[in-house]
Amino acid sequence: MEYFQLLFNSVLLGLGLSMDAFSISIANGLVEPGMKRTRMFQIASVYAVFQGLMPLIGWVLVKTVSVLFSSFEKLIPWIALILLLFIGGKMIIESISKKSDNKEEESKETKITWKLLFVQGIATSIDALSVGFTISDYSLLKALAAVLVIAVVTLAMCMGGLVFGKKIGNKFSSVATIIGGVILILIGVEIFVKGIFGL
């Protein structure tokens, strides 16, 4: 019963935490609708690793330097907002400038770089550091089990998001990058509002 409760709670945590990564996966599917399954798995894995790693880092910080972590926690919504505003804004500006510079560029598919994925992974998972407080009473083994479940749930959610985004991206290829950028900005604002106002 105890292990079932751990699994159940971890799945719920994973679903809640993976929503931002799921939304960004849709945006990435929009931007790169021609990606292969291997590429999709790689992208989803990046989010899964970050989403699993952040709660574990949070757990370690709570166990060791909880006072410092409490101070840092206030900065989390600001960091997520700045990162996602920057990425989303950059995508929109680049898409608009490509269209105005050269109409032929519209037919070329934008590629999501590893650097961009890394930043997206941090931006969407940084608020998961707070989960360290939620699982602070777990033993190391239980904490590792929880973050593994969170990572697996995130992987599945992001694969679904990429598939959905690809389907939409093929239909709206001319404005896909702009839509993707807007989604990232909205996610940044949502994380910020939730973090600052507790909504």
Side-chain angles (χ1 to χ4, degrees):
M1 187 64 184
E2 182 188 351
Y3 293 108
F4 175 78
Q5 191 68 40
L6 174 67
L7 178 64
F8 182 72
N9 290 343
S10 300
V11 168
L12 288 181
L13 269 175
L15 288 171
L17 291 173
S18 65
M19 284 303 156
D20 292 332
F22 171 74
S23 301
I24 285 197
S25 295
I26 293 174
N28 286 343
L30 278 165
V31 172
E32 199 177 318
M35 72 174 77
K36 306 292 182 194
R37 285 208 173 273
T38 308
R39 173 86 169 138
M40 290 167 64
F41 184 77
Q42 289 171 346
I43 290 172
S45 295
V46 169
Y47 300 130
V49 167
F50 275 106
Q51 212 64 254
L53 196 59
M54 288 297 183
L56 187 60
I57 292 170
W59 180 86
V60 170
L61 290 173
V62 168
K63 293 285 188 184
T64 53
V65 285
S66 57
V67 176
L68 290 173
F69 180 60
S70 297
S71 302
F72 175 74
E73 194 181 15
K74 295 170 186 172
L75 299 174
I76 290 174
W78 290 96
I79 295 168
L81 178 67
I82 291 164
L83 286 174
L84 289 171
L85 282 178
F86 174 74
I87 300 166
K90 191 166 176 281
M91 282 171 67
I92 293 168
I93 291 165
E94 283 178 359
S95 180
I96 292 169
S97 65
K98 271 184 186 177
K99 286 181 182 180
S100 59
D101 289 347
N102 190 353
K103 291 288 180 185
E104 289 176 14
E105 291 292 322
E106 286 184 38
S107 60
K108 293 183 181 177
E109 192 176 292
T110 305
K111 290 286 180 186
I112 298 150
T113 63
W114 285 106
K115 182 181 174 183
L116 179 62
L117 270 178
F118 186 80
V119 177
Q120 286 180 352
I122 293 172
T124 55
S125 65
I126 196 165
D127 58 333
L129 277 169
S130 304
V131 174
F133 281 117
T134 310
I135 62 171
S136 61
D137 59 333
Y138 284 11
S139 65
L140 176 59
L141 195 61
K142 281 187 177 180
L144 288 171
V147 299
L148 181 63
V149 172
I150 289 168
V152 170
V153 170
T154 301
L155 181 69
M157 291 288 288
C158 291
M159 285 295 286
L162 286 165
V163 170
F164 182 67
K166 276 179 61 177
K167 287 183 179 176
I168 300 173
N170 284 321
K171 293 178 183 176
F172 301 100
S173 56
S174 60
V175 291
T177 307
I178 294 173
I179 295 169
V182 170
I183 288 172
L184 295 189
I185 290 170
L186 290 175
I187 293 167
V189 171
E190 183 245 350
I191 291 172
F192 179 76
V193 170
K194 275 199 308 187
I196 296 296
F197 302 105
L199 299 175

